[in-house]
Amino acid sequence: MITFVLCVIALVLGYFLYGKFVETVFGPDDRDTPAVVKADGVDFMVLPNWKIFMIQFLNIAGTGPIFGAIMGAKFGPAAYLWIVLGCIFAGATHDYLSGMISIRKGGAGLPEIIGDTLGATTRKVMLVFSVVLLIMVGAVFVYSPAEILDSIAGSTTMWIIIIFAYYFIATMLPVDKVIGRIYPIFAFSLLFMAAALMVMLIIKWPSIPELWDGLGNKALTVDSNWSSQLYPCLFITIACGAISGFHATQSPLMGRCMKSERMGRPIFYGAMITEGIVALIWATVASYFFYAEPQPGYQVITEYANNGFSTSAPKVVNIICNDWLGVVGGILAMLGVVAAPITSGDTALRSARLIIADFVRMEQRSIKRRLIISVPIFLVCIALLLWQVENPDGFNVIWQYFGWSNQTLSVFTLWAIVMYLMKNGKPYYFVLIPALFMTTVCATFLFVSKQALGLPDTIGYLLGIVVLFVAYGWFHMVESKYKKTH
């Protein structure tokens, strides 16, 4: 628990110290923002800063910092290091700079940002990649809250229908009609849940492994497919609590609602730091059960630790919240856990609509044109959801592919940020380092993971190192060529 407290303090200090450094490098000023210049009453409009923060936090949170942290806790104290260092030096930096670049480029979506810096071909690839990822998010974030709500009342099918109906309404309506009104309430619920669990952790003060106990001190019940793969699996499993490419698809949504660039650090960087704290809390709660004797009723958590992804994370969340916080507290906490994925799902599909609209240059003021783009997106999402429901392990399969795709998207975003900073005469090596690291992580995971190529560890790690040198060699050539011509 001492490690947990130190990590929370480190994240707070990271916001004030490193966050200020990143902000200074970018240099926000008082120019008019897209929310003012391009105001359309639908997607571009000025919203209060506190609302934008709440919406941004809820957009990027989803179930990622909860489910990912629960899964990642099996890797022991190493999870704490990744959440803190990843969040400060990679994730929050990634979210802030991608959001600010979007504002500077008139509220451009992620494919446009990547295309402007990495070329037209990469832009087209990222268009498809981003839309597929966002639709995947929509499908994943329907099923998990529906399963949680099913344990309270009704049926999973009923809740899926209700959530999808809400998705469609929220995606179609102007941003201030639904998102601007109910997101702050849901964000409060999610923060309440995290704060309540943090209080319970302090009261219980469980005996769990500390950093000085050794990074190899992993849960003994972790299945063999994962126990030998702390690298790179930890960095894929804990995504949203450390760094997530999905966030770069969400930042432009709020960038289109900000009146001043100077609010970028509290909104973009601050929301990510807040999410990191939520991830720390859930990693600690999960560690309590992975490393201690399970209490009656926690057999599902022990089974979860034994079988990797095979046990439903929503059920784990449901058990913990109800047992620790009582009936009323459990319901409020569950509301936060349910609201997070639902609201990430609807903004994911909204982002998909806007990305496609930007690509085909179709204005979105009229409902008819919003329908033209939205209907096909929802049909694909429904098809993916139906497959997920019919397949007993569908949620877990999609989650694993989502994890890798999500981190791969962060790789492209980080490289786009590096190129943007370089071309604008700003320091860029502080972003180059996480770009190279995440490139290597995603490549190595593809080589060694049993869910991908499944190569022997020695070969996979060697190929990962090769990718690292190739990536740096490519950048060095681009850097040298640019410096010679400028």
Side-chain angles (χ1 to χ4, degrees):
M1 278 295 292
I2 296 176
T3 299
F4 167 72
V5 174
L6 292 176
C7 286
V8 171
I9 294 173
L11 283 176
V12 174
L13 290 176
Y15 169 79
F16 287 105
L17 300 178
Y18 198 76
K20 181 62 177 178
F21 162 74
V22 175
E23 179 185 51
T24 301
V25 169
F26 184 83
D29 56 35
D30 296 318
R31 72 185 68 188
D32 287 338
T33 62
V36 177
V37 177
K38 295 185 175 182
D40 63 2
V42 180
D43 300 304
F44 291 85
M45 66 176 68
V46 174
L47 292 178
N49 293 324
W50 70 271
K51 276 192 176 183
I52 299 175
F53 172 84
M54 287 293 203
I55 296 171
Q56 173 72 6
F57 168 64
L58 210 56
N59 282 354
I60 65 175
T63 50
I66 301 170
F67 293 176
I70 292 173
M71 297 175 197
K74 71 182 71 174
F75 293 107
Y80 287 119
L81 276 182
W82 171 230
I83 290 172
V84 173
L85 298 179
C87 190
I88 294 172
F89 299 107
T93 300
H94 164 282
D95 291 8
Y96 173 78
L97 291 174
S98 62
M100 297 305 292
I101 292 171
S102 172
I103 292 175
R104 285 283 172 93
K105 291 184 176 293
L110 183 59
E112 298 295 322
I113 294 172
I114 291 176
D116 287 348
T117 53
L118 299 181
T121 301
T122 308
R123 173 175 174 262
K124 293 176 183 177
V125 172
M126 283 300 100
L127 172 73
V128 176
F129 196 88
S130 299
V131 171
V132 170
L133 176 65
L134 290 168
I135 292 176
M136 198 181 300
V137 169
V140 167
F141 288 170
V142 167
Y143 188 75
S144 56
E147 190 174 6
I148 293 174
L149 289 168
D150 175 30
S151 65
I152 299 174
S155 66
T156 300
T157 302
M158 178 192 79
W159 286 112
I160 286 175
I161 294 173
I162 292 173
I163 293 170
F164 242 109
Y166 163 78
Y167 271 13
F168 193 79
I169 294 171
T171 301
M172 292 293 297
L173 290 178
V175 69
D176 63 330
K177 300 303 181 186
V178 174
I179 294 175
R181 292 180 179 178
I182 67 172
Y183 271 41
I185 299 173
F186 287 160
F188 171 79
S189 298
L190 183 57
L191 291 173
F192 169 84
M193 173 271 297
L197 291 176
M198 186 172 179
V199 169
M200 291 301 297
L201 280 172
I202 294 173
I203 293 173
K204 291 177 178 292
W205 201 259
S207 177
I208 55 178
E210 306 283 5
L211 278 174
W212 41 90
D213 293 328
L215 297 183
N217 191 357
K218 296 174 287 187
L220 298 177
T221 52
V222 174
D223 79 276
S224 59
N225 286 336
W226 285 83
S227 60
S228 64
Q229 294 186 2
L230 184 150
Y231 175 84
C233 292
L234 170 64
F235 306 97
I236 298 293
T237 304
I238 300 181
C240 291
I243 180 172
S244 166
F246 169 68
H247 296 182
T249 66
Q250 301 303 292
S251 292
L253 292 181
M254 291 300 96
R256 299 177 183 195
C257 300
M258 289 168 52
K259 187 177 182 179
S260 171
E261 285 189 352
R262 299 187 186 279
M263 290 305 300
R265 181 161 68 104
I267 289 172
F268 296 132
Y269 202 97
M272 183 62 213
I273 292 294
T274 305
E275 183 174 1
I277 294 174
V278 172
L280 278 178
I281 291 170
W282 274 104
T284 307
V285 169
S287 295
Y288 176 77
F289 299 105
F290 287 164
Y291 292 91
E293 286 294 325
Q295 300 176 18
Y298 288 98
Q299 292 85 352
V300 66
I301 299 179
T302 306
E303 177 189 345
Y304 182 76
N306 280 323
N307 298 311
F309 285 114
S310 62
T311 298
S312 171
K315 290 181 180 178
V316 174
V317 173
N318 188 33
I319 290 172
I320 292 173
C321 284
N322 279 287
D323 184 64
W324 279 27
L325 304 178
V327 177
V328 176
I331 291 175
L332 290 175
M334 295 308 298
L335 176 61
V337 177
V338 167
I342 291 176
T343 51
S344 289
D346 70 46
T347 50
L349 297 179
R350 188 183 191 91
S351 296
R353 169 175 69 81
L354 292 171
I355 287 173
I356 294 174
D358 288 343
F359 181 75
V360 299
R361 302 189 185 283
M362 181 183 292
E363 61 86 12
Q364 294 292 282
R365 289 177 181 268
S366 66
I367 294 180
K368 179 181 178 181
R369 296 195 174 188
R370 277 176 258 162
L371 281 170
I372 291 174
I373 297 177
S374 297
V375 170
I377 290 174
F378 272 85
L379 290 176
V380 174
C381 189
I382 290 171
L384 185 60
L385 178 64
L386 290 174
W387 175 84
Q388 180 183 184
V389 172
E390 291 298 321
N391 188 328
D393 202 35
F395 172 84
N396 300 315
V397 171
I398 293 179
W399 183 271
Q400 292 172 58
Y401 283 108
F402 162 70
W404 180 82
S405 302
N406 186 27
Q407 297 302 62
T408 301
L409 187 59
S410 76
V411 169
F412 282 94
T413 305
L414 287 168
W415 281 113
I417 292 171
V418 169
M419 297 300 293
Y420 174 88
L421 294 175
M422 183 180 72
K423 291 179 179 180
N424 284 272
K426 300 178 182 292
Y428 51 86
Y429 272 81
F430 71 100
V431 183
L432 176 63
I433 293 173
L436 288 169
F437 177 74
M438 291 308 300
T439 299
T440 309
V441 164
C442 291
T444 305
F445 181 84
L446 189 64
F447 296 139
V448 304
S449 172
K450 301 298 187 293
Q451 287 76 40
L453 298 180
L455 300 176
D457 287 356
T458 303
I459 296 176
Y461 293 153
L462 180 60
L463 290 175
I465 294 173
V466 170
V467 169
L468 171 64
F469 282 101
V470 169
Y472 182 75
W474 164 81
F475 174 74
H476 182 67
M477 289 189 295
V478 172
E479 180 186 39
S480 299
K481 182 179 179 180
Y482 181 80
K483 288 182 177 179
K484 287 180 180 178
T485 56
H486 294 79

